[in-house]
């Protein structure tokens, strides 16, 4: 296989990237058929990624000096491993840049973060119908956690439990 003609680099996002991050989130949601569920605003991104107490972090992939993708992540903790890890919330590469290695470069950078900080794992979820992504993750030897089902409390159910 020939090396891509365009070099992909990965950098840490900055506050100047807030509109770009929001656009990538919207583009990912559209791809996942979930655009109707997007509520995030630039103010939310500013607070949670670049505020006084950041709750999540972001890497930007660039090809030919242009942003082509992002990885938004946060720290998790494994009581079984006895170590923190990274949970990848979103990984997205614009369709025109797929095949350049941007997704792999983003995952490689997060894997490097894990190794450098002695973290226990890098994990994420993928939609069951997204065979293209699943095949990509399989090519990286990412283990499918078939015995686990993700559960989520949000909205009114979350409020009801909190108030019970």
């Amino acid at each position: 296989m020939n090396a891509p003609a365009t070099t992909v680099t990965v950098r840490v996002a900055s506050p100047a990237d807030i509109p770009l991050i929001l656009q990538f989130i919207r583009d990912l949601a559209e791809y996942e058929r979930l655009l109707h569920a997007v509520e995030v605003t630039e103010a939310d991104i500013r607070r949670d990624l670049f505020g006084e107490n950041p709750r999540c972090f972001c890497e930007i992939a660039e090809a030919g000096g242009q942003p082509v993708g992002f990885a938004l992540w946060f720290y998790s903790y494994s009581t079984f491993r006895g170590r923190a890890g990274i949970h990848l919330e979103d990984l997205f590469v614009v369709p025109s840049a797929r095949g350049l290695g941007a997704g792999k470069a983003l995952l490689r950078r997060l894997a490097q973060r894990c190794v450098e900080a002695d973290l226990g794992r890098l994990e994420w979820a993928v939609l069951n119908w997204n065979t293209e992504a699943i095949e990509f993750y399989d090519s990286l030897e990412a283990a499918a956690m078939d015995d686990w089902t993700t559960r989520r409390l949000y909205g009114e159910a979350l409020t009801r439990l909190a108030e019970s």
Side-chain angles (χ1 to χ4, degrees):
M1 176 183 231
N2 294 333
T6 304
T7 301
V8 175
T9 58
V10 175
R11 64 175 175 79
V12 174
S14 73
D17 293 312
I18 291 171
L20 174 66
I21 294 166
L22 180 57
Q23 187 58 55
F24 280 152
I25 291 168
R26 291 181 177 281
D27 291 346
L28 173 62
E30 184 173 19
Y31 174 77
E32 291 179 337
R33 305 173 196 150
L34 294 168
L35 187 56
H36 63 278
V38 174
E39 298 175 7
V40 68
T41 66
E42 286 188 12
D44 296 329
I45 294 168
R46 182 175 312 285
R47 177 194 64 227
D48 293 336
L49 274 74
F50 305 107
E52 189 174 313
N53 183 26
R55 298 179 185 268
C56 52
F57 308 91
C58 186
E59 316 290 322
I60 303 289
E62 294 181 340
Q66 297 298 311
V68 296
F70 84 127
L72 195 140
W73 58 276
F74 55 89
Y75 290 103
S76 59
Y77 190 80
S78 169
T79 56
F80 289 8
R81 303 256 356 213
R83 286 194 167 82
I86 287 178
H87 180 86
L88 174 61
E89 180 66 18
D90 288 337
L91 176 69
F92 178 75
V93 174
V94 297
S96 62
R98 292 182 185 155
L100 295 178
K104 186 173 183 178
L106 287 161
L107 286 170
R108 180 185 309 113
R109 181 61 197 122
L110 294 182
Q112 289 167 346
R113 283 185 179 279
C114 287
V115 170
E116 291 164 3
D118 194 28
L119 303 178
R121 62 185 177 203
L122 169 60
E123 62 186 356
W124 61 91
V126 60
L127 289 166
N128 293 335
W129 60 260
N130 194 345
T131 55
E132 183 180 351
I134 292 168
E135 289 171 2
F136 169 60
Y137 299 143
D138 285 348
S139 77
L140 301 175
E141 300 179 56
M145 304 298 292
D146 294 329
D147 294 340
W148 297 85
T149 300
T150 302
R151 303 303 298 254
R152 176 179 295 157
L153 275 173
Y154 66 99
E156 291 180 19
L158 179 64
T159 302
R160 274 194 302 276
L161 180 60
E163 293 173 350
S164 66

